[in-house]
Amino acid sequence: MIDLRSDTVTKPSDAMRAAMAAAAVGDDVYGEDPTVNALEARTADILGKEAAVFVPTGTMSNQIGIRIHTQPGDLALVEGSAHIVANEGGGAAAISGVSIRPLRGVRGVFTPDDVDAAVGVAHPYKPTTLSPPPRLLCVENTHNAGGGTLWPLDTLLAVCEAGRLHGLSLHLDGARLWHAAAASGLSERQLAEPFDTVNVCFSKGLGAPVGSALAGSRGLIGRARRFKQQLGGGMRQAGVLAAAALFALEHHRSELGDDIRRAKRLAEGLAALAGVDIDPADVQSNIVRFSVTAGTAADFAERCHGAGVHMIPGGARGVRAVLHRDISDSDVTTALAAIEAAWSRIPASA
Ligand SMILES: Cc1ncc(COP(=O)(O)O)c(C=O)c1O
């Protein structure tokens, strides 16, 4: 099976497992795990922040980010299809008591005007006590539901500036910030610079089995450690996991360009198929989103699965394929041939 469901399906390599087995460990709840401490320092350094905290998942990292910037009753501005809105179980409301005003993005990217409109305009005729106070602006880069979209740097900076002018804290969901850096040629540090806190994931594309980190100022990350413990994220000899993440940073981060190149090749192959709608120019990183114009996405995904290619249908016509380090050039060739064979059996009138 050629598994294109997600870049989270990668299996740790033998070399990564060896690094995990050799990891020096201690009790991380006491701050005594040397490998976790090394991973946190390295992550903070890559992102140009003072500190970072290792957590089990990107979801926990984002939710701690929201928690440390807000009080119950506050408002967060987040693009409507962002992971924080769509895939974190309503955590912002449940954990932080925060309501979300969804911004309408184009493939996940919104503008300073969208931020201004969402905050609204104060006027002496309108009591300031009516609206939930806007406190936080979140950005996702790359944007998963948008199709692995990269934020253009000028738009990113302008949106962050608009947020600052409104007094908002800024959180970046950079689960795939590594891919944004690899695809844009900008450093993770440049892309993280405008934000107070940044989530990054080691388990997406980088190939580690588990783990994310939240980075920011020493003060914010100190506060984050409290909520990590409160949410049950305190882990003991977590150096075994941190070793995999460190290995991924040092050995796999530089290889993400291959996944992006393969994603473009897959997109070009798909674009040549009748009944598939995709503009390869929209594929900017390792995520390929396309639609079927005949039949349903579910039918397409099931037929392809039967032919040995696993992808995720989304909605009536949408399909997602994600490239990752366990997929080779020849897997892309095989996948395209299998998809074409499976798809050509669908009557054009379906
Ligand atoms: C953009 C984005 N943010 C956050 C997450 C959450 O990460 P996790 O699955 O580790 O909770 C994901 C997961 O795919 C994601 O795509």
Side-chain angles (χ1 to χ4, degrees):
M1 184 63 69
I2 296 175
D3 195 343
L4 300 176
R5 283 172 299 164
S6 173
D7 50 10
T8 58
V9 302
T10 53
K11 308 259 169 49
S13 64
D14 289 346
M16 182 179 277
R17 286 171 194 262
M20 295 170 78
V25 295
D27 190 328
D28 181 46
V29 173
Y30 293 98
E32 290 172 358
D33 189 301
T35 311
V36 171
N37 294 342
L39 173 66
E40 291 179 345
R42 180 76 183 111
T43 305
D45 180 49
I46 291 172
L47 297 174
K49 302 295 181 197
E50 284 176 358
V53 57
F54 183 51
V55 292
T57 65
T59 299
M60 187 183 286
S61 187
N62 280 333
Q63 291 304 323
I64 293 173
I66 294 168
R67 182 69 188 84
I68 61 179
H69 290 301
T70 59
Q71 294 298 326
D74 285 349
L75 180 70
L77 311 186
V78 194
E79 194 277 332
S81 65
H83 197 276
I84 286 174
V85 176
N87 293 314
E88 300 194 0
I95 296 165
S96 299
V98 162
S99 54
I100 289 181
R101 185 159 297 160
L103 305 182
R104 194 189 298 258
V106 176
R107 304 185 68 236
V109 175
F110 52 87
T111 66
D113 287 348
D114 295 324
V115 176
D116 293 344
V119 171
V121 181
H123 191 277
Y125 294 173
K126 190 183 172 203
T128 52
T129 45
L130 288 179
S131 312
R135 295 271 187 243
L136 176 65
L137 176 66
C138 301
V139 169
E140 186 176 311
N141 193 18
T142 65
H143 198 287
N144 180 348
T149 324
L150 304 177
W151 273 76
L153 187 60
D154 52 352
T155 314
L156 185 79
L157 295 176
V159 152
C160 290
E161 193 187 333
R164 288 282 182 228
L165 286 174
H166 293 294
L168 306 179
S169 298
L170 304 177
H171 172 76
L172 172 63
D173 180 359
R176 295 179 183 79
L177 194 65
W178 326 112
H179 298 82
S184 66
L186 299 165
S187 66
E188 288 92 346
R189 182 180 280 248
Q190 280 171 292
L191 294 167
E193 200 279 328
F195 295 92
D196 298 302
T197 48
V198 182
N199 162 47
V200 286
C201 295
F202 307 110
S203 58
K204 291 167 196 73
L206 279 192
V210 173
S212 293
L214 185 71
S217 68
R218 225 167 262 119
L220 282 172
I221 297 309
R223 198 164 142 72
R225 289 186 190 283
R226 176 181 158 217
F227 293 113
K228 169 183 170 180
Q229 183 63 23
Q230 191 180 78
L231 293 174
M235 299 178 284
R236 302 296 179 172
Q237 286 69 37
V240 172
L241 302 174
L246 265 175
F247 185 92
L249 283 180
E250 302 317 324
H251 299 281
H252 295 172
R253 191 159 62 108
S254 56
E255 295 175 357
L256 292 175
D258 291 336
D259 297 340
I260 296 166
R261 180 176 53 74
R262 289 182 187 122
K264 292 190 171 152
R265 226 191 103 215
L266 181 70
E268 277 154 18
L270 289 168
L273 300 183
V276 170
D277 186 21
I278 180 170
D279 181 350
D282 287 341
V283 175
Q284 300 175 339
S285 63
N286 67 325
I287 299 179
V288 180
R289 287 195 184 264
F290 57 97
S291 332
V292 293
T293 55
T296 64
D299 187 29
F300 176 91
E302 284 160 24
R303 281 169 189 262
C304 291
H305 184 256
V309 185
H310 211 173
M311 291 172 283
I312 298 189
R317 303 273 185 183
V319 183
R320 185 183 83 164
V322 186
L323 279 291
H324 54 78
R325 54 180 300 101
D326 290 358
I327 300 292
S328 64
D329 284 323
S330 70
D331 288 332
V332 174
T333 308
T334 309
L336 279 169
I339 293 168
E340 182 169 10
W343 188 227
S344 62
R345 288 197 295 274
I346 297 188
S349 58

